[in-house]
Amino acid sequence: MQVDGRDVKRIMVAGGAGFIGSNFIRSVHRRFPAVDVLNYDKLTYAGNLENLEGIEGHYAFVQGDIRDAAAVEKALAGVDVLVNFAAETHVDRSIHDPGDFILTDVYGVFVLLEAVRRNGAVRRFVHVSTDEVYGSIAEGRFSEESPLNPSSPYSASKAGGDRLAYSYFRTFGLPVIIARPANNYGPYQYPEKLIPFFVTRALQDFPLPLYGDGSNRRDWLFVEDTVAGILALIEKGEPGLAYNLGADQERSNSEVTRLILEILGKPGSLVRAVADRRGHDFRYALDWERMKGLGWRPGVGFEEGLRRTVEWYLKHEGWWRRLVEKKAFRSHVRKNYE
Ligand code: NAD
Ligand code: TYD
């Protein structure tokens, strides 16, 4: 891996024990075995070192909070590239309990930026934002120049972190690149998000709480494609710019649910219409021409990606059962969907 024609020796992955972060570390290990990886993660309810099973010993791990300036400063020693995945990430949780979203997704990003500024030797800081910062769009697509108009405490916090990162490029010349991916799915996704939630619920013959009439739409990007996009951004992205990572694989939530049930051979009677999410964004859709300019394009279509994802959950029953059987997960489900 190279940045500005020089080899990258050490990469720090904040949030590397989560869903996308752990897939990213696997990919770095596979594609760039000479690069040292430091996984810096607080291990919140969503962080899980089991996500890195099979590559233990191939990365260093520090259990730390991105809001802890002294710990971040220490971890950054010798780091050439920082990628930040660490965040509170679930919209439904942000509706009940927004405090940690502000503290991690805004203040935590500020702490990382300050540490990078003081460190002076970090050559790229890829900050992972989200397509949700634009808010909902009934028709057409958002480009990187579209105004940000987030609707949930989650997406508003992410928009804060996103623009704060940009301000450190503008004001202090930090080599910040911002990634705005669409909805991700794939192996190791925490079972609170739509696809793994419904797959694991259906496998237990539990009802699937579908919001409203199920017509809300998302663009679905397979996690391996996101990871490839972030690697492309490290090597070829232009500091100061934001990059949309879309998939052109838009589906309604009803379609996603029907496909999951079809793959699993489970009945449609499992679906339960529940009262709509407050502030529910109807549709996300991205123009991702800028990423095409870097030679990136997603390689996995939705039906194939969903099949691979479902197979992964079928094969890794112990992994998800250990999560969904926790008391805190059960009470999250009761609070939000029952
Ligand atoms: P995740 O919830 O699976 O993982 C988040 C990780 O961050 C966990 O390992 C957690 O322990 C860690 N973390 C949380 N707070 C921390 C803190 N204060 N200090 C250190 N570590 C902390 O999330 P994900 O789905 O892998 O998402 C990764 C990033 O990508 C997030 O920034 C998210 O906003 C963004 N994103 C996700 C999606 C998606 O569909 N999953 C789509 C677009 C963007
Ligand atoms: P989610 O996975 O929470 O991602 P996001 O809201 O960040 O896009 O939800 C994806 C879509 O699925 C969203 O429109 C809300 C809907 N949804 C349900 O209908 N029921 C559920 O139990 C969940 C978790 C989501």
Side-chain angles (χ1 to χ4, degrees):
M1 184 190 296
Q2 290 206 321
V3 167
D4 296 334
R6 276 194 293 139
D7 283 346
V8 171
K9 293 205 172 63
R10 191 171 175 81
I11 180 163
M12 172 166 155
V13 184
F19 162 48
I20 309 178
S22 62
N23 277 280
F24 177 79
I25 290 179
R26 271 174 201 286
S27 182
V28 172
H29 170 60
R30 206 168 42 239
R31 291 183 49 188
F32 303 100
V35 175
D36 286 343
V37 175
L38 170 63
N39 176 9
Y40 183 94
D41 195 299
K42 184 181 180 200
L43 300 183
T44 66
Y45 78 92
N48 184 358
L49 290 178
E50 277 188 51
N51 296 357
L52 292 154
E53 65 191 342
I55 60 163
E56 298 92 347
H58 294 285
Y59 66 93
F61 176 64
V62 170
Q63 182 167 6
D65 194 318
I66 60 166
R67 299 170 292 185
D68 180 342
V72 168
E73 184 181 334
K74 196 167 155 209
L76 264 187
V79 166
D80 313 283
V81 172
L82 169 63
V83 183
N84 181 35
F85 295 97
E88 289 295 332
T89 60
H90 195 201
V91 173
D92 288 326
R93 288 181 193 259
S94 83
I95 294 168
H96 285 290
D97 208 355
D100 273 342
F101 287 76
I102 317 305
L103 293 173
T104 291
D105 302 9
V106 186
Y107 181 74
V109 177
F110 157 72
V111 170
L112 292 177
L113 289 162
E114 272 297 301
V116 168
R117 180 160 85 97
R118 281 196 303 272
N119 173 287
V122 175
R123 291 189 280 143
R124 286 292 182 277
F125 176 5
V126 177
H127 173 66
V128 182
S129 180
T130 168
D131 64 347
E132 301 192 26
V133 294
Y134 299 112
S136 186
I137 188 165
E139 279 170 27
R141 293 153 186 258
F142 289 119
S143 81
E144 289 86 352
E145 312 312 329
S146 300
L148 306 191
N149 191 20
S151 337
S152 70
Y154 163 64
S155 51
S157 308
K158 291 295 291 183
D162 178 315
R163 289 301 83 191
L164 204 50
Y166 175 69
S167 78
Y168 271 64
F169 165 78
R170 283 293 298 265
T171 309
F172 304 113
L174 252 57
V176 170
I177 295 168
I178 293 149
R180 294 182 183 148
N183 278 65
N184 270 237
Y185 68 108
Y188 300 103
Q189 186 166 31
Y190 188 80
E192 66 188 353
K193 304 285 167 37
L194 177 69
I195 289 178
F197 188 45
F198 278 16
V199 169
T200 57
R201 298 274 297 177
L203 284 171
Q204 300 169 93
D205 296 310
F206 289 168
L208 312 183
L210 187 61
Y211 279 133
D213 62 2
S215 63
N216 297 64
R217 305 176 75 78
R218 298 289 182 264
D219 182 20
W220 292 99
L221 180 61
F222 195 59
V223 66
E224 280 175 13
D225 286 323
T226 305
V227 162
I230 289 167
L231 288 169
L233 287 175
I234 293 172
E235 293 201 292
K236 297 185 254 173
E238 188 181 324
L241 289 184
Y243 290 84
N244 288 343
L245 280 73
D248 296 344
Q249 296 293 310
E250 199 182 315
R251 301 286 186 282
S252 71
N253 293 338
S254 302
E255 287 173 86
V256 172
T257 306
R258 189 181 47 74
L259 268 170
I260 291 172
L261 292 172
E262 199 178 292
I263 296 171
L264 289 173
K266 295 286 183 179
S269 56
L270 284 180
V271 178
R272 292 272 189 293
V274 294
D276 211 351
R277 174 188 274 174
R278 278 177 277 180
H280 198 175
D281 282 335
F282 177 66
R283 174 173 177 265
Y284 302 135
L286 297 174
D287 173 321
W288 45 279
E289 283 299 312
R290 190 172 279 173
M291 279 304 294
K292 283 186 197 159
L294 302 185
W296 176 85
R297 58 200 61 242
V300 183
F302 186 65
E303 278 68 18
E304 181 201 336
L306 187 63
R307 227 163 260 286
R308 282 170 61 180
T309 302
V310 170
E311 271 164 29
W312 188 89
Y313 282 83
L314 283 168
K315 279 206 197 105
H316 293 77
E317 190 174 335
W319 178 91
W320 61 262
R321 276 200 187 272
R322 279 190 284 286
L323 300 174
V324 304
E325 282 166 8
K326 284 188 178 155
K327 232 166 98 189
F329 188 84
R330 289 217 204 94
S331 82
H332 155 77
V333 173
R334 265 197 310 278
K335 193 155 93 182
N336 285 282
Y337 313 104
E338 284 174 7

